[in-house]
C-alpha cells in the first residue's frame, strides 16, 4: 500500500510541474506560445485517451499547470521584448 501512495504523490507532482514546463519548452522551440500550449494540450489529450490519467482531479491539476506555463511564457516574451 505504501508504494501505491508514493506513485500517486509522484503522479500528482508531475501533473503540477510537467505541463507548465512543456508549455515553456515548446514556446521556446516554436517561438509561439499559442503553438506551445496547443502541443502540450495535444500530449495531455493523448495521455487521457490512452488511459494514463486516472482521475478528474489530475486533469484539473494539469489544466492549472498549463495556465501557469502559458502565463510564464507570456512573461518570458515581455521580458525578451524589453531587452531588445
Amino acid at each position: 500500500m505504501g508504494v501505491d501512495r508514493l506513485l500517486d504523490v509522484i503522479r500528482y507532482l508531475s501533473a503540477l510541474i510537467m505541463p507548465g514546463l512543456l508549455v515553456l519548452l515548446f514556446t521556446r522551440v516554436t517561438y509561439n506560445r499559442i503553438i506551445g500550449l496547443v502541443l502540450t494540450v495535444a500530449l495531455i489529450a493523448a495521455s487521457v485517451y490512452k488511459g494514463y490519467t486516472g482521475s478528474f482531479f489530475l486533469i484539473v491539476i494539469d489544466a492549472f499547470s498549463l495556465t501557469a506555463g502559458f502565463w510564464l511564457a507570456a512573461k518570458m516574451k515581455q521580458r525578451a521584448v524589453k531587452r531588445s
Side-chain angles (χ1 to χ4, degrees), residues 1 4 6 9 13 19 37 46 50 53-54 59 62 65 80 83-84:
M1 176 113 50
D4 291 335
L6 180 64
V9 169
L13 284 176
L37 180 68
K50 291 297 260 179
T53 304
I59 296 171
D62 281 337
S65 181
R83 276 194 231 163
S84 56

Side-chain angles (χ1 to χ4, degrees):
M1 176 113 50
V3 174
D4 291 335
R5 183 82 171 154
L6 180 64
L7 288 176
D8 283 342
V9 169
I10 291 172
R11 190 172 292 137
Y12 285 109
L13 284 176
S14 295
L16 188 61
I17 296 169
M18 293 305 290
L21 289 178
L22 283 173
V23 170
L24 291 175
L25 173 74
F26 288 144
T27 299
R28 292 291 291 171
V29 170
T30 62
Y31 297 106
N32 189 333
R33 64 187 171 123
I34 302 293
I35 293 175
L37 180 68
V38 169
L39 288 172
T40 307
V41 168
L43 281 175
I44 291 174
S47 73
V48 169
Y49 178 74
K50 291 297 260 179
Y52 297 127
T53 304
S55 68
F56 180 74
F57 188 61
L58 202 57
I59 296 171
V60 170
I61 293 173
D62 281 337
F64 174 75
S65 181
L66 283 170
T67 305
F70 189 72
W71 180 77
L72 284 172
K75 292 292 182 184
M76 189 173 63
K77 183 179 178 181
Q78 288 175 356
R79 194 171 14 159
V81 169
K82 266 187 188 176
R83 276 194 231 163
S84 56

